[in-house]
Amino acid sequence: MDRLLERAILELLERRAPTATICPSDAARAVYSGEGDGWRALMEPARRAARRLVAAGKVEITQGGHPVEPAKARGPIRIRRAR
């Protein structure tokens, strides 16, 4: 599931404008195969996948439009391609 979420994040960003962002919920919904809101259980795994991609230099986590250190991010985050 971890690799699926990482791939989903990268694929979702690839389909958007270079400056666009996504929410971790976009990745969770993309990989969830069930019905209803079961994708919510994948939110923390999606956030962890984003943190791994930050460590790999592929994406940035933002809050309020500004990059933040993943360990310091509290509350809603967005993900964008690394600049």
Side-chain angles (χ1 to χ4, degrees):
M1 182 59 64
D2 290 343
R3 299 296 171 233
L4 284 175
L5 286 164
E6 289 175 14
R7 238 175 304 159
I9 290 168
L10 295 174
E11 288 173 4
L12 287 166
L13 289 171
E14 183 64 30
R15 288 185 250 161
R16 288 174 170 74
T19 58
T21 64
I22 63 166
C23 178
S25 66
D26 296 326
R29 286 182 178 107
V31 301
Y32 182 65
S33 60
E35 302 264 335
D37 66 353
W39 59 267
R40 292 180 186 276
L42 296 175
M43 283 298 292
E44 186 51 37
R47 289 172 69 99
R48 285 193 307 265
R51 289 192 293 267
R52 285 191 302 275
L53 291 170
V54 168
K58 295 182 179 182
V59 303
E60 294 176 330
I61 290 176
T62 66
Q63 288 186 310
H66 303 286
V68 295
E69 290 294 322
K72 295 181 181 179
R74 299 287 179 261
I77 64 169
R78 302 288 296 176
I79 307 164
R80 70 179 179 199
R81 291 182 192 150
R83 294 185 177 175

